[in-house]
Amino acid sequence: MESAYLYMTVAMSALLGVALVSSTMLRGWREWLAFKRHEMEAHAPRHDGGSPSTHSRIEIADLKERIRKLEAIAAGVEL
């Protein structure tokens, strides 16, 4: 009977340890996600909405160039 109590104590201690480690890791994960979200917001381009940001204009120009190249490939023109 004493060994049953010993096994129960060890099992409960192990379960408590796993719960403690899991909750600590979950909190760390949430803090890391909050940090990354804050980091992304800090690096987000800001503009007043009146004109597109420089980054957006560069992306659009890059996409237009890629479309021209794909159209040239489709037409059989060598670049």
Side-chain angles (χ1 to χ4, degrees), residues 26-55:
L26 180 62
R27 181 172 179 188
W29 174 253
R30 287 180 179 162
E31 293 294 323
W32 184 79
L33 286 176
F35 172 73
K36 286 298 184 180
R37 187 175 299 118
H38 177 70
E39 191 177 68
M40 287 173 40
E41 289 172 357
H43 290 90
R46 302 189 192 286
H47 59 282
D48 59 358
S51 64
S53 68
T54 305
H55 183 68

